[in-house]
């Protein structure tokens, strides 16, 4: 079964809520990058958050997230679009830390404070917008919640979950984003806060046998929401030889000459999907010609 995201409105349209099952998406990321469990959890949570943020985009809009902490992971990079496609990578995929004092994957230690969370939005026809906050926890759910409050002035709550088997296989991944819409009553916000606080283990609620609406019901109550849209989501990298040709035109001509003379070509590898592209001498000469234009 493919991954799915549900967009809904709850409490008489006072609350916007997105829930996502990203189990296949995060499994794919784990396989592409051979991430170890703490890195899988961190990259997985970033991918889930990116899917949730991107669910507010329209048409050709895109967004990119960068999380740069001081821990062993280095930088986490993800991007997503309005079609539910997401991709990402982490500088150091082989991070496997001891469980934290609560017996959970220690994402906060792997990310490491101090650090920054940056979200860049490319809205079709407009100027790109970049918002940035300092990391406040490193567990990422709280950091995205903080980002939305500070940088986008939208009171929100994120829940992000990745459950991993001892053999590194991703058992489940997913989460939710709740946004309080203008005009929502205090009673609604209070009740929602209580519900989130008593939710229990999020990974138990992203159970494929129950379906994604189970999580929705637990969050806002049965019959208390209406579904606006359901969308397929997936790990997807649109890279191509053409896109790499484009990015190689920024390399200095002298470096390209060196690739021609010494290596008789160049191999580039996509960070997001590990696909390799080979540029022979003729390809490199064409890049030089383009630069000279
Ligand atoms: Zn790629």
């Amino acid at each position: 079964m493919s991954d799915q995201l549900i967009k809904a409105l709850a409490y008489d349209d006072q609350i916007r809520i997105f829930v996502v099952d990203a189990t296949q998406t995060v499994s794919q990321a784990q396989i592409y990058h051979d991430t170890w469990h703490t890195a899988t959890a961190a990259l997985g949570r970033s991918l889930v958050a990116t899917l949730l943020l991107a669910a507010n985009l329209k048409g050709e809009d895109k967004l990119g997230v960068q999380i740069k902490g001081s821990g062993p992971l280095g930088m986490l990079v993800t991007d997503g679009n309005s079609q539910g496609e997401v991709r990402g990578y982490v500088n150091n995929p082989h991070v496997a830390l001891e469980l934290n004092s609560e017996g959970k994957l220690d994402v906060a230690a792997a990310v490491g404070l101090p650090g920054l969370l940056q979200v860049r939005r490319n809205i079709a026809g407009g100027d790109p917008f970049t918002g940035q906050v300092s990391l406040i926890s490193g567990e990422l759910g709280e950091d995205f919640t903080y980002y939305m409050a500070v940088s986008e002035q939208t009171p929100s709550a994120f829940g992000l979950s990745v459950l991993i088997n001892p053999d590194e296989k991703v058992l489940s991944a997913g989460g939710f984003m709740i946004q309080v819409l203008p005009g929502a009553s205090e009673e609604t916000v209070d009740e929602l806060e209580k519900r989130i606080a008593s939710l229990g283990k999020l990974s138990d609620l992203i159970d494929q046998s129950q379906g994604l609406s189970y999580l929705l019901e637990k969050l806002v109550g049965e019959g208390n929401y209406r579904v606006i849209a359901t969308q397929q989501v997936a790990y997807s990298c649109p890279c191509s030889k053409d896109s790499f040709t484009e990015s190689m035109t920024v390399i200095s001509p002298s470096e390209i000459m060196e690739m021609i003379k010494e290596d008789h070509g160049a191999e580039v590898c996509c960070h997001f999907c590990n696909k390799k592209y080979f540029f022979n001498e003729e390809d490199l000469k064409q890049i030089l010609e383009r630069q000279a234009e």
Side-chain angles (χ1 to χ4, degrees):
M1 214 177 86
S2 58
D3 287 344
Q4 210 178 42
L5 185 144
I6 299 176
K7 304 179 191 185
L9 290 169
Y11 291 92
D12 296 324
D13 299 356
Q14 297 178 78
I15 302 293
R16 180 191 288 142
I17 173 164
F18 298 160
V19 292
V20 66
D21 176 351
T23 305
Q24 307 299 325
T25 304
V26 176
S27 297
Q28 188 64 65
Q30 194 276 325
I31 293 164
Y32 272 143
H33 302 298
D34 185 34
T35 46
W36 294 356
H37 51 263
T38 323
T40 307
L43 179 59
R45 288 183 198 179
S46 307
L47 288 167
V48 170
T50 304
L51 282 170
L52 292 164
L53 285 172
N56 265 332
L57 299 176
K58 294 181 184 75
E60 299 296 303
D61 301 351
K62 289 176 188 159
L63 67 82
V65 176
Q66 281 192 9
I67 298 162
K68 183 143 185 27
S70 337
L73 290 175
M75 191 150 68
L76 284 154
V77 179
T78 57
D79 60 43
N81 62 26
S82 67
Q83 286 92 54
E85 295 171 330
V86 75
R87 60 181 186 162
Y89 66 86
V90 57
N91 282 160
N92 301 309
H94 290 172
V95 176
L97 305 180
E98 302 258 319
L99 299 181
N100 66 17
S101 56
E102 291 168 49
K104 291 182 177 167
L105 290 161
D106 204 346
V107 172
V111 171
L113 299 187
L116 293 171
L117 166 65
Q118 197 181 73
V119 179
R120 182 184 163 92
R121 290 174 186 274
N122 286 78
I123 305 299
D127 291 327
F129 165 80
T130 303
Q132 181 174 290
V133 293
S134 295
L135 294 173
I136 55 165
S137 106
E139 290 287 345
L140 303 186
E142 284 169 61
D143 301 291
F144 278 100
T145 299
Y146 180 65
Y147 167 79
M148 288 303 281
V150 173
S151 191
E152 305 206 3
Q153 277 95 42
T154 309
S156 311
F158 280 81
L160 310 172
S161 163
V162 178
L163 191 65
I164 303 160
N165 212 37
D167 69 1
E168 303 291 353
K169 188 175 183 289
V170 175
L171 291 175
S172 74
F176 64 83
M177 178 175 74
I178 291 173
Q179 295 187 314
V180 178
L181 298 175
S185 72
E186 263 181 57
E187 292 78 35
T188 298
V189 175
D190 285 349
E191 198 192 313
L192 204 53
E193 279 173 355
K194 278 184 203 138
R195 278 188 162 273
I196 293 170
S198 62
L199 201 58
K201 258 177 88 178
L202 184 55
S203 57
D204 291 343
L205 305 176
I206 304 166
D207 179 339
Q208 276 142 338
S209 63
Q210 308 257 29
L212 199 47
S213 47
Y214 180 66
L215 172 60
L216 203 47
E217 277 168 23
K218 287 285 169 195
L219 281 163
V220 293
E222 209 179 328
N224 195 21
Y225 64 89
R226 60 187 184 100
V227 171
I228 301 302
T230 302
Q231 181 179 38
Q232 306 281 327
V233 301
Y235 195 101
S236 171
C237 186
C239 71
S240 64
K241 192 165 174 182
D242 281 349
S243 64
F244 278 97
T245 307
E246 199 61 47
S247 49
M248 279 173 75
T249 53
V250 302
I251 301 175
S252 74
S254 60
E255 270 182 76
I256 292 180
M257 301 270 257
E258 217 174 278
M259 290 175 191
I260 295 171
K261 278 186 192 140
E262 290 179 15
D263 308 320
H264 307 288
E267 190 181 72
V268 292
C269 180
C270 177
H271 279 314
F272 291 99
C273 69
N274 286 332
K275 201 166 171 187
K276 291 185 173 70
Y277 294 93
F278 186 72
F279 290 79
N280 63 22
E281 288 188 49
E282 197 49 45
D283 296 329
L284 293 172
K285 280 178 192 159
Q286 276 177 15
I287 292 170
L288 282 175
E289 277 166 29
R290 279 181 60 167
Q291 288 176 326
E293 273 167 18

